């Protein structure tokens, strides 16, 4: 039986996507070859990447002028590739520090230009999203992290910005509708909410490119991927294919509105249980609670029961619930593909545990 997969990433994928992908791994569309052994320049893969690009544009509702790119090296490579491609040494980029990933992005950017950290919740262990900060008009871009995977906070509204937004959407990509117009660049590692590990989606607006003076190696220059439609070298064929299948699944299930409706319903079940259950409590500011990574701990007086509860989740077929070491407790990742029934099973177990141990 399929387990309840609450892993933060690589994470759960929709069951029909896994079924279709496993067929393709053996015999793609009945052609007598696995997709894993087909040329990335053949008609089969060309159709796949074109459909994937078209689906991203359609699902988000991207206006003209945006390019969809499929890169490698994870979101972590984007931490340096972004300032390398967008920021000159004498220019300044603004960053908001809302978690370990943002912190790493800040560290990398410092090698390429000036970095102005205009707001941070680092001193409070990233338990909230800073708001009301002033965005400098002369910044080249403002870098945000839309969802903080480790801490369980999420930007529920993007700030109005006089400069283009650059956003790490790795852990809430395509989980809700948003207005793409303020964004100069969006990036997301596939393995949280889109597909398998091995590819990173970058959506970049044409006017963001070509303004830096430094020499860019071809493989680290976004323009190479724009020009060659992500086929300058061999792209991660299978992760892109599986991502394309997930994109089809998202469209079929109501697009971003449909995803948001499901995600809100799932998060409500779990947050309601955390709030009403005397044994558990949340770890972050209520208004910033993530709909994707739900962090919670045991109330202090029940702290000794943490290991026991984790064991019970495992005995009940639930995996991936151990919290990140910097937060402790539990983290339920409730990405697009996680069924509501999995969240309900966890909430039921929490209730039952409280009845027995409370
Ligand atoms: C997981 C994660 C990353 C790192 O992704 P890699 O693909 O492993 O480099 C970066 N940012 C966020 C928000 C993440 O959740």
């Amino acid at each position: 039986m399929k387990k309840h997969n609450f892993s933060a990433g690589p994470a759960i994928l929709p069951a029909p996507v896994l079924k279709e992908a496993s067929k393709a791994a053996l015999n793609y569309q009945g052609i007598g070859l696995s997709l894993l052994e087909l040329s990335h320049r053949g008609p089969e893969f060309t159709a796949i990447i074109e459909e994937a690009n078209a689906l991203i544009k359609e699902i988000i509702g991207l206006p003209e002028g945006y390019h969809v790119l499929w890169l490698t090296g994870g979101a972590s490579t984007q931490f340096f590739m972004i300032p390398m491609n967008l920021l000159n040494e004498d220019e300044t980029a603004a960053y908001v520090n809302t978690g370990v990933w943002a912190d790493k992005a800040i560290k990398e950017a410092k090698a390429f230009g000036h970095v102005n950290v205009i707001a941070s919740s680092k001193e409070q262990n990233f338990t909230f999203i800073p708001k009301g900060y002033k965005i400098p008009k002369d910044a080249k871009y403002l870098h945000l992290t839309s969802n903080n995977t480790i801490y369980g906070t999420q930007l529920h509204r993007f700030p109005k910005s006089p400069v283009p937004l650059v956003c790490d959407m790795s852990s809430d990509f395509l989980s809700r509708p948003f207005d793409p117009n303020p964004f100069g660049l969006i990036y997301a590692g596939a393995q949280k909410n889109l597909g398998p590990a091995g590819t990173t989606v970058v959506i970049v607006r044409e006017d963001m490119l070509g303004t830096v003076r430094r020499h860019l190696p071809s493989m680290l220059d976004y323009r190479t991927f724009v020009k060659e439609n992500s086929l300058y070298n061999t792209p991660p064929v299978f992760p892109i294919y599986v991502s394309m299948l997930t994109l089809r699944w998202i469209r079929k299930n109501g697009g971003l509105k449909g995803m948001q409706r499901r995600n809100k319903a799932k998060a409500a079940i779990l947050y309601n249980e955390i709030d009403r259950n005397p044994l558990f409590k949340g770890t972050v500011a209520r208004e910033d609670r993530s709909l994707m990574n739900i962090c919670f701990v045991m109330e202090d007086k029940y702290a000794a029961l943490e290991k026991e509860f984790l064991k019970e989740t495992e005995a009940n077929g639930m995996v991936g619930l151990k919290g990140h070491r910097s937060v402790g407790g539990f983290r339920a990742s409730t990405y697009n593909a996680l069924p509501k029934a999995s969240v309900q099973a966890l909430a039921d177990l929490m209730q039952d545990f409280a009845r027995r141990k409370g």
Side-chain angles (χ1 to χ4, degrees):
M1 210 192 89
K2 172 87 178 183
K3 290 191 170 167
H4 300 293
N5 188 358
F6 292 96
S7 296
I12 187 164
L13 290 167
V17 167
L18 291 176
K19 196 168 165 205
E20 182 96 20
S22 57
K23 272 200 298 190
L26 290 174
N27 185 356
Y28 183 66
Q29 296 190 335
I31 64 169
L33 288 168
S34 164
L35 180 59
L36 292 161
E37 50 188 6
L38 284 180
S39 165
H40 60 292
R41 304 210 183 270
E44 294 86 1
F45 186 69
T46 304
I48 288 167
I49 197 164
E50 279 175 6
E51 183 174 348
N53 291 344
L55 280 168
I56 286 193
K57 287 180 180 171
E58 178 193 328
I59 288 168
I60 298 177
L62 282 179
E64 288 291 302
Y66 285 88
H67 303 287
V68 178
L69 315 177
W70 299 86
L71 308 191
T72 55
S76 301
T77 291
Q78 296 313 306
F79 295 163
F80 71 81
M81 210 166 147
I82 286 164
M84 193 181 199
N85 279 262
L86 307 186
L87 187 65
N88 281 305
E89 265 173 50
D90 54 355
E91 292 172 331
T92 301
Y95 279 69
V96 176
N97 192 357
T98 51
V100 157
W101 300 118
D103 213 38
K104 288 186 171 167
I106 289 165
K107 175 176 168 251
E108 298 296 319
K110 285 178 177 165
F112 297 96
H114 300 290
V115 172
N116 182 359
V117 180
I118 59 170
S120 170
S121 51
K122 192 174 183 175
E123 298 301 315
Q124 290 79 23
N125 198 31
F126 301 120
T127 48
F128 68 98
I129 304 273
K131 295 165 204 86
Y133 44 79
K134 235 180 113 106
I135 303 164
K137 285 192 184 64
D138 58 347
K140 196 77 180 281
Y141 59 82
L142 169 64
H143 182 281
L144 301 168
T145 311
S146 54
N147 184 74
N148 299 283
T149 325
I150 292 174
Y151 305 91
T153 59
Q154 189 173 21
L155 249 80
H156 293 299
R157 283 214 329 252
F158 292 103
K160 243 180 98 83
S161 173
V163 303
L165 298 178
V166 168
C167 191
D168 179 355
M169 291 196 185
S170 292
S171 53
D172 67 353
F173 189 54
L174 307 185
S175 68
R176 55 177 169 174
F178 68 100
D179 172 14
N181 286 291
F183 293 86
L185 190 148
I186 291 164
Y187 63 106
Q191 74 274 18
K192 306 279 167 52
N193 210 17
L194 182 65
T199 191
T200 305
V201 176
V202 170
I203 298 167
V204 62
R205 206 171 61 205
E206 180 66 34
D207 65 290
M208 300 294 287
L209 303 175
T211 75
V212 293
R213 296 181 295 267
R214 68 178 61 86
H215 169 74
L216 297 168
S218 304
M219 277 299 288
L220 296 179
D221 187 339
Y222 291 129
R223 289 170 302 180
T224 305
F225 291 82
V226 170
K227 191 159 157 267
E228 306 290 338
N229 189 25
S230 304
L231 286 161
Y232 172 73
N233 77 323
T234 317
V237 170
F238 207 74
I240 294 172
Y241 171 66
V242 179
S243 300
M244 187 278 283
L245 294 179
T246 307
L247 291 163
R248 280 185 186 165
W249 177 85
I250 291 172
R251 184 175 59 184
K252 196 171 156 200
N253 285 278
L256 298 188
K257 279 199 182 126
M259 294 299 114
Q260 183 179 47
R261 207 177 317 113
R262 288 162 46 100
N263 292 331
K264 277 189 169 169
K266 286 184 289 180
I269 293 171
L270 196 46
Y271 282 122
N272 285 341
E273 185 54 34
I274 290 167
D275 291 340
R276 63 152 290 284
N277 193 307
L279 269 62
F280 299 92
K281 62 177 177 187
T283 57
V284 300
R286 249 161 217 269
E287 75 268 20
D288 301 325
R289 283 175 161 181
S290 169
L291 302 190
M292 296 277 100
N293 309 97
I294 300 178
C295 294
F296 54 104
V297 294
M298 290 225 133
E299 289 281 2
D300 297 342
K301 81 183 239 222
Y302 296 105
L305 291 174
E306 235 171 53
K307 277 209 178 83
E308 196 175 333
F309 181 70
L310 196 64
K311 263 208 182 124
E312 288 204 14
T313 63
E314 284 158 11
N316 283 277
M318 301 171 193
V319 298
L321 282 165
K322 194 173 162 50
H324 190 275
R325 62 187 180 283
S326 52
V327 179
F330 312 98
R331 170 175 55 177
S333 296
T334 53
Y335 298 125
N336 284 349
L338 186 80
K340 194 166 153 186
S342 291
V343 181
Q344 191 61 58
L346 174 59
D348 289 349
L349 183 65
M350 289 163 74
Q351 254 178 51
D352 187 53
F353 191 78
R355 263 196 299 274
R356 284 180 283 118
K357 310 281 175 181

